Amino acid sequence: MGLFKKYLTDRNKIFKNREVLRHSYRPHILPHRMPQIDEIASILAPSLRNETPSNILIYGKTGTGKTASVRYVGSELEKASSQNVATCAVVHINCEVIDTQYRVLAQIAKDIERPDETPSDKLRPHIPMTGWPTDQVYMELKNQLEARGGVLVIVLDEIDKLVKKSGDDTLYNLTRINSDLHSSRVCIIGISNDLSFKDFLDPRVLSSLSEEEIVFPPYNAPQLCDILQQRAEKAFVLETLDEGVIPLCAALAAQEHGDARRALDLLRISGELAEREEAEKVAESHVKSAQAKIETDSMIECISTLPTQSKVVLYSMLLLEQLGHLIFTSGEVCRVYQELACHLEIDVLTNRRITDLISELNMLGVINTRVVSRGRYGRTKEMWFDANSTKIQEVIQKDPRLTEQGLGQMDRTWLKQTFR
DNA sequence: ACTCCACCGGAATACTTGGCGT
DNA sequence: ACGCCAAGTATTCCGGTGGAGT
C-alpha cells in the first residue's frame, strides 16, 4: 500500500505531461516543415475538384517529420473536403506492419467503409482477413471505390519495407487501378527512408509512383531547438529546465543525423533521470548521462542479440584486453578464438569467417578497426574498444555458455605465455 | 515440395611497406 | 640510395548447405 505512495505525491515536480515527448505524440504545429507541407498540399489540392492528383514519393531519414507532415496534410484535406462537394479520404497504411499485397488491399478496403452505409452497401461482402484469392480482393476493392466515388489518397508509410518483403506487385496493381476506375480516383503517397529501394522497382511503377518527389532534409540544431522548445512547454513544469538543456539536446541529436525522435528521447530521459534523483531542475549533466544511457542501452541490446559465434569472438578480444593489450590484430584474435571455441566445444569457424564477424562488430560500433600494413610483417587489421569494455563483458557473460565457470578450466597460462 | 536467405569456407586476387639486394 | 619482393592478411567472388517460410 505504502510502496507507491511516494510516487503519487510530489510526482509532478518535473513533468507536466510526459506523453508529449513520446514518438506517438502528434503535435498540431510542425516547425520548419511548412515548405514540404505546402508542397504536398498543392499537389493534393486538385482532389478537391475531383481531379486526380499526382502520385508522390517522399524521402527522408528517420525522425525528419515525414509521417507527421503527411498525416497533418491528410487530416486538413479531409476537413476541407467535408465542406466541399467532392469527397476526399485518406488512408494511412504502415507497411512495416501490413506487409503483404493481400493485407494492404484488404486494409484499404476496410478503412474506406463508411459508417453511414446505405442498405445496398450492407449487402456487400466483407473482405475476410484471409482466404480469398488476391484478384478477388482487388476486384472488391475496386467495386468499393466505384461505389463511394471521389478521390482516395493512399499513404504507404515505410514503402521500402513492403517492396523488400513482397516485391512491387502491390504497387503495380495500385498504380494502374485508376485505368479501371470510372467514378473515382486513387492517389498514392509513398514514404521511404531508404533511397535505394527504387532499384527494386519496375521502371514503369517507379515512373508512375514518382510523378512528384519531395525530400525531407534532416533538422539542424537550431531547428531541433525550436521543436524541443515547443514540446517542452507542454511536457515540463515551468522553469524546471536549465537554460542549456534544450540547446544541448538539439546539438547532440543534430550530430546524429538530425533525428527529432532522438532529440525528444534525450530530453525525456534527461527529465526522467532528474526526476529519479529528485533534483529540482533538469541540468546539462542530466543530458550527458541520458546520452550515455541511450548509447549503452542500445549497445547492450545490440550485443545481447548477437549470435553465439560473434560473442565468442568478442570474448576473445576481452581476454586479450585483460592481458594488457589495448590494440589487437586479427591474427591474435583468431588464435585466441580457436582456443576458446575448442574449450567451449562449439563449431570452430575458420579465420575467413572470423574476419567477417570482426567487420560486422565494427559496423555495429562495438569495436573500432583500422587496416594497417606492417611492411615485411604483412597486412592486418587492428581493433580496439573505445568505451569501457567492462559493460560489454557484463553483457557477454549473461550468455550461459560464456560464464566464468565455463571458462575457469580454460588454460589461461597458454594465453599468458603466447600473448605476454 | 519448393524457394529463399543466412551462414560458411575455399580459392583467387588485392594491398601496402619494411627489409633486403644491389 | 633505390627499387623490388615478400609477408600476411584483407577483400572479393563464388558455390555449397541447412533451416525457415510459404
Side-chain angles (χ1 to χ4, degrees):
Chain A
M1 170 60 201
L3 182 59
F4 291 100
K5 206 167 161 190
K6 62 175 176 178
Y7 298 102
L8 284 173
T9 53
D10 48 21
R11 239 341 51 179
N12 43 10
K13 261 187 180 165
I14 300 256
F15 284 110
K16 196 159 51 177
N17 181 4
R18 189 186 314 233
E19 294 308 309
V20 177
L21 297 177
R22 297 212 174 269
H23 301 165
S24 50
Y25 179 81
R26 206 143 36 100
H28 298 293
I29 308 161
L30 294 162
H32 303 292
R33 282 301 176 241
M34 271 329 275
Q36 284 80 13
I37 288 175
D38 275 341
E39 198 175 350
I40 300 172
S42 71
I43 296 169
L44 292 185
S47 61
L48 290 171
R49 297 190 301 272
N50 236 338
E51 295 163 20
T52 317
S54 299
N55 294 331
I56 314 176
L57 211 47
I58 295 177
Y59 296 113
K61 299 224 170 86
T62 51
T64 49
K66 304 182 294 293
T67 306
S69 300
V70 171
R71 280 197 188 268
Y72 174 73
V73 176
S75 62
E76 289 294 308
L77 181 70
E78 284 182 325
K79 217 187 284 173
S81 89
S82 65
Q83 304 162 354
N84 208 308
V85 211
T87 49
C88 300
V90 181
V91 174
H92 201 108
I93 290 186
N94 186 341
C95 301
E96 194 176 9
V97 187
I98 300 179
D99 57 359
T100 64
Q101 174 162 210
Y102 186 99
R103 290 172 55 205
V104 169
L105 296 176
Q107 187 67 39
I108 296 170
K110 194 178 155 201
D111 283 1
I112 60 176
E113 274 175 16
R114 277 181 297 174
D116 57 325
E117 49 192 340
T118 60
S120 72
D121 285 334
K122 280 233 168 68
L123 297 175
R124 193 173 298 293
H126 191 78
I127 299 181
M129 280 322 283
T130 178
W132 281 13
T134 308
D135 359 349
Q136 195 177 345
V137 183
Y138 180 75
M139 291 300 291
E140 181 54 33
L141 173 63
K142 224 162 58 187
N143 291 339
Q144 288 195 16
L145 285 170
E146 286 286 27
R148 70 178 290 286
V151 176
L152 180 70
V153 179
I154 300 174
V155 181
L156 297 173
D157 209 338
E158 318 239 3
I159 196 171
D160 46 328
K161 299 271 167 46
L162 176 66
V163 174
K164 234 181 190 168
K165 281 184 189 161
S166 56
D168 57 0
D169 290 351
T170 316
L171 299 179
Y172 181 75
N173 286 334
L174 282 178
T175 50
R176 75 192 175 92
I177 198 169
N178 270 341
S179 54
D180 290 345
L181 291 172
H182 299 104
S183 62
S184 70
R185 293 286 157 207
V186 161
C187 163
I188 300 172
I189 300 180
I191 302 179
S192 165
N193 47 30
D194 179 15
L195 274 160
S196 66
F197 98 101
K198 281 164 108 176
D199 303 341
F200 301 105
L201 250 46
D202 187 301
R204 281 171 301 174
V205 176
L206 181 60
S207 69
S208 150
L209 197 62
S210 57
E211 288 166 335
E212 299 277 355
E213 292 194 18
I214 299 177
V215 176
F216 278 61
Y219 296 109
N220 59 30
Q223 291 173 337
L224 285 171
C225 265
D226 290 343
I227 295 171
L228 292 179
Q229 193 68 52
Q230 175 210 352
R231 302 271 189 118
E233 278 164 21
K234 294 186 183 175
F236 290 96
V237 176
L238 210 61
E239 304 274 306
T240 45
L241 289 184
D242 265 359
E243 227 174 272
V245 168
I246 285 181
L248 182 58
C249 288
L252 289 172
Q255 282 170 23
E256 199 107 0
H257 323 119
D259 184 345
R261 284 185 212 167
R262 177 62 183 262
L264 291 167
D265 281 343
L266 262 175
L267 190 56
R268 177 173 52 83
I269 292 173
S270 305
E272 283 170 0
L273 287 175
E275 185 177 63
R276 221 169 289 164
E277 61 184 56
E278 301 188 4
E280 292 292 317
K281 285 181 144 201
V282 184
E284 287 180 37
S285 63
H286 293 125
V287 179
K288 281 177 189 150
S289 343
Q291 166 90 338
K293 180 174 158 53
I294 290 178
E295 235 161 57
T296 52
D297 279 3
S298 66
M299 171 90 80
I300 286 169
E301 168 66 21
C302 166
I303 292 176
S304 59
T305 56
L306 239 38
T308 310
Q309 292 286 7
S310 295
K311 286 186 189 169
V312 177
V313 173
L314 205 48
Y315 199 91
S316 309
M317 295 179 205
L318 286 169
L319 285 175
L320 277 169
E321 207 204 27
Q322 283 167 16
L323 290 174
H325 290 55
L326 292 179
I327 294 180
F328 4 96
T329 65
S330 51
E332 291 167 340
V333 174
C334 284
R335 282 206 292 282
V336 178
Y337 162 82
Q338 273 162 18
E339 190 73 12
L340 200 54
C342 225
H343 269 274
L344 293 169
E345 292 177 336
I346 58 177
D347 292 344
V348 181
L349 301 180
T350 60
N351 295 2
R352 168 69 187 74
R353 201 63 201 115
I354 304 302
T355 54
D356 275 356
L357 294 179
I358 290 172
S359 308
E360 205 175 298
L361 289 172
N362 181 38
M363 297 269 280
L364 292 170
V366 182
I367 57 170
N368 298 297
T369 68
R370 175 180 57 188
V371 179
V372 290
S373 221
R374 292 175 171 175
R376 190 82 185 171
Y377 306 109
R379 183 171 175 246
T380 187
K381 191 178 268 183
E382 288 179 341
M383 62 210 78
W384 66 94
F385 297 102
D386 57 358
N388 50 344
S389 51
T390 47
K391 274 272 178 212
I392 298 178
Q393 176 143 13
E394 278 172 33
V395 183
I396 287 276
Q397 294 193 329
K398 282 195 186 134
D399 192 299
R401 298 205 249 186
L402 293 173
T403 55
E404 276 298 330
Q405 295 99 29
L407 298 162
Q409 353 161 337
M410 198 179 121
D411 188 2
R412 288 190 187 228
T413 52
W414 170 83
L415 262 180
K416 282 178 187 161
Q417 276 163 14
T418 321
F419 303 100
R420 188 172 39 83

